[in-house]
Amino acid sequence: MIGFRKASKVRTSGSRVRRLAGAGVVLPLALGALFAGGAGTSVASPGQGPTAVVALGDSYISGEAGRWKGNSLTNTGSRNGTDRAWVSGSAYDPAKVYGATAANGCHRSDSSEVVSAGPIADVAVNLACSGAVTDNMFRAANGGVAYKGEAPQADQLAAVAASHDVKMITLSIGGNDLGFAQIIEDCAYDFVLWGSYCYDDQQYGVDQKIDGVMAKVGKSVDEIRAVMRAAGYADSSYRIVLQSYPSPIPRGVENRHPQSDWSRYNTGGCPFWNRDSDWARDSLVPQIANRLKGVAATKGVQFMDLRDMLQGREVCAKASKLVSSTVPASAKTSEWARWIDNNETQGLVQESMHPNHYGQLAAGRCLSLVAAQPATAAGFSCRNTAGQDHTGMYLTATP
């Protein structure tokens, strides 16, 4: 069921290898529907008009993979109730979940974090786009680059700030700059083709890039501040929440499939060695989270640490189950992240390795909990409660 799309370098290894995923993981977002009320047409001064919470950044906040409620090996119909885009018979309509952004690939889902957070504000505005990098954040006048047919996100924010009373802006960015998709692809190659580890080479690459990436994340925050000040907002009149990334795969010891056979590849959709999984879960994800926390502290914005958000709910985690005809989709038992389906027998490759519908409900709950805390608090870590749905998410203060 799980296959790989060939990338630029083709290396054969028998019939098991089909098409190597050139984008096993995409971490982006973009401009999309203005949920819960629309953008509005009148121009409002800061503090007037409908209040708004705004999402900016990449796929981990746009709502990529919101189409899916767990993972199932069934490739027809509703896929045992996991496919929210199913219409009837053999028909699927991703726009049921992603709206107009199903067409351009920004994939802003109806369960994205900023929407699932609930009544934080009158209007939830999702400007994030799947695949976005920091250059897509900046104002065009300051080096920003349009993406997927949409203006840079800072310029889009300016329009929202003029017509709404923006109370919170939440930002997820930097993963694509670090090359998450390539890391996933290379590590999967090493499992499927070469029987070698990827963590050492990949760690070197991350170390070479991360200082520059974090500088551009900091510039993204500066751009948000500049837009809001130009719109007449005082820095204290709204809050910015910079968030980190959750790990979509578990530690090796927590994987329900042994690495000694092909079930991780053919059944679980998590083709990674234990050693590489441990590196991703306990080194890479924490490294990025800690550096983002440092940016938040330097820029005086709030930090939401999501590194442990999917603990026990990751793809192939022992504590979770595949959905089947006898195991229904459930936020209490199903995986909260999308597996790797690089043959695209179910949906698109770009949805792989992102929080799915259940994971997005959890992220939304985290955001709502942070919104209820004082804006002066430095940051919080958000975790799930084993055996509960998204309502079991809870915060602990970050040191």
Side-chain angles (χ1 to χ4, degrees):
M1 197 310 239
I2 305 299
F4 290 95
R5 173 178 307 175
K6 288 186 179 180
S8 57
K9 50 184 180 180
V10 180
R11 298 180 280 194
T12 58
S13 179
S15 60
R16 283 195 180 98
V17 181
R18 304 168 194 170
R19 299 181 298 163
L20 197 314
V25 177
V26 185
L27 311 171
L29 323 177
L31 166 68
L34 299 180
F35 296 94
T41 56
S42 62
V43 176
S45 300
Q48 299 180 14
T51 60
V53 54
V54 183
L56 299 174
D58 56 27
S59 56
Y60 271 74
I61 197 171
S62 69
E64 184 70 82
R67 173 177 175 173
W68 304 98
K69 298 169 68 175
N71 300 305
S72 170
L73 290 167
T74 299
N75 284 330
T76 58
S78 69
R79 339 272 195 180
N80 294 129
T82 63
D83 191 347
R84 300 172 62 227
W86 183 60
V87 179
S88 63
S90 59
Y92 302 91
D93 181 13
K96 287 180 61 179
V97 175
Y98 301 124
T101 64
N104 73 355
C106 280
H107 283 187
R108 300 184 189 101
S109 81
D110 59 0
S111 61
S112 68
E113 178 183 314
V114 72
V115 177
S116 296
I120 292 178
D122 298 329
V123 179
V125 182
N126 189 352
L127 303 180
C129 184
S130 185
V133 296
T134 49
D135 285 350
N136 306 130
M137 296 298 307
F138 313 149
R139 292 165 294 171
N142 202 23
V145 178
Y147 185 62
K148 294 187 176 178
E150 298 183 354
Q153 291 181 36
D155 291 329
Q156 297 182 46
L157 174 63
V160 177
S163 58
H164 294 75
D165 178 12
V166 176
K167 293 300 184 184
M168 175 181 282
I169 299 168
T170 182
L171 172 65
S172 169
I173 200 69
N176 290 317
D177 297 72
L178 286 170
F180 274 6
Q182 191 64 52
I183 291 172
I184 294 296
E185 177 186 338
D186 289 347
C187 290
Y189 259 129
D190 282 337
F191 179 87
V192 175
L193 290 176
W194 306 116
S196 59
Y197 297 132
C198 73
Y199 71 91
D200 46 359
D201 291 341
Q202 297 303 323
Q203 183 64 65
Y204 177 81
V206 169
D207 289 343
Q208 300 307 299
K209 296 177 182 177
I210 197 163
D211 287 346
V213 171
M214 291 302 145
K216 296 182 81 170
V217 172
K219 180 180 176 180
S220 298
V221 175
D222 292 341
E223 289 287 287
I224 292 169
R225 289 287 193 210
V227 165
M228 298 299 286
R229 288 167 183 163
Y233 288 76
D235 291 355
S236 60
S237 66
Y238 67 99
R239 75 170 89 179
I240 298 173
V241 178
L242 177 63
Q243 62 189 55
S244 67
Y245 298 96
S247 173
I249 58 174
R251 300 173 179 89
V253 71
E254 296 166 350
N255 194 307
R256 64 177 179 267
H257 299 284
Q259 65 174 351
S260 57
D261 60 39
W262 286 94
S263 61
R264 286 191 183 182
Y265 171 71
N266 292 316
T267 303
C270 57
F272 308 105
W273 297 111
N274 285 350
R275 183 64 183 82
D276 291 336
S277 299
D278 292 345
W279 165 74
R281 179 66 181 85
D282 290 329
S283 294
L284 177 63
V285 169
Q287 178 185 14
I288 296 169
N290 291 336
R291 292 298 301 269
L292 288 169
K293 179 183 176 182
V295 173
T298 298
K299 297 298 180 180
V301 301
Q302 210 158 35
F303 178 58
M304 184 164 70
D305 192 344
L306 299 181
R307 75 182 77 185
D308 296 317
M309 187 189 82
L310 297 178
Q311 175 61 40
R313 318 301 186 107
E314 307 99 332
V315 178
C316 294
K318 286 181 179 177
S320 298
K321 302 176 182 178
L322 287 181
V323 179
S324 68
S325 59
T326 59
V327 180
S330 166
K332 296 183 178 180
T333 61
S334 302
E335 296 162 329
W336 287 9
R338 185 63 180 159
W339 62 7
I340 294 180
D341 175 22
N342 290 327
N343 275 330
E344 295 186 332
T345 56
Q346 299 181 15
L348 299 176
V349 169
Q350 75 179 62
E351 295 172 303
S352 301
M353 296 285 113
H354 289 83
N356 61 20
H357 177 69
Y358 295 137
Q360 289 171 24
L361 295 181
R365 177 61 176 164
C366 292
L367 185 62
S368 69
L369 292 172
V370 169
Q373 300 297 317
T376 54
F380 300 92
S381 175
C382 194
R383 296 177 171 86
N384 73 78
T385 301
Q388 295 189 25
D389 60 16
H390 64 282
T391 61
M393 303 304 294
Y394 66 94
L395 299 179
T396 57
T398 56

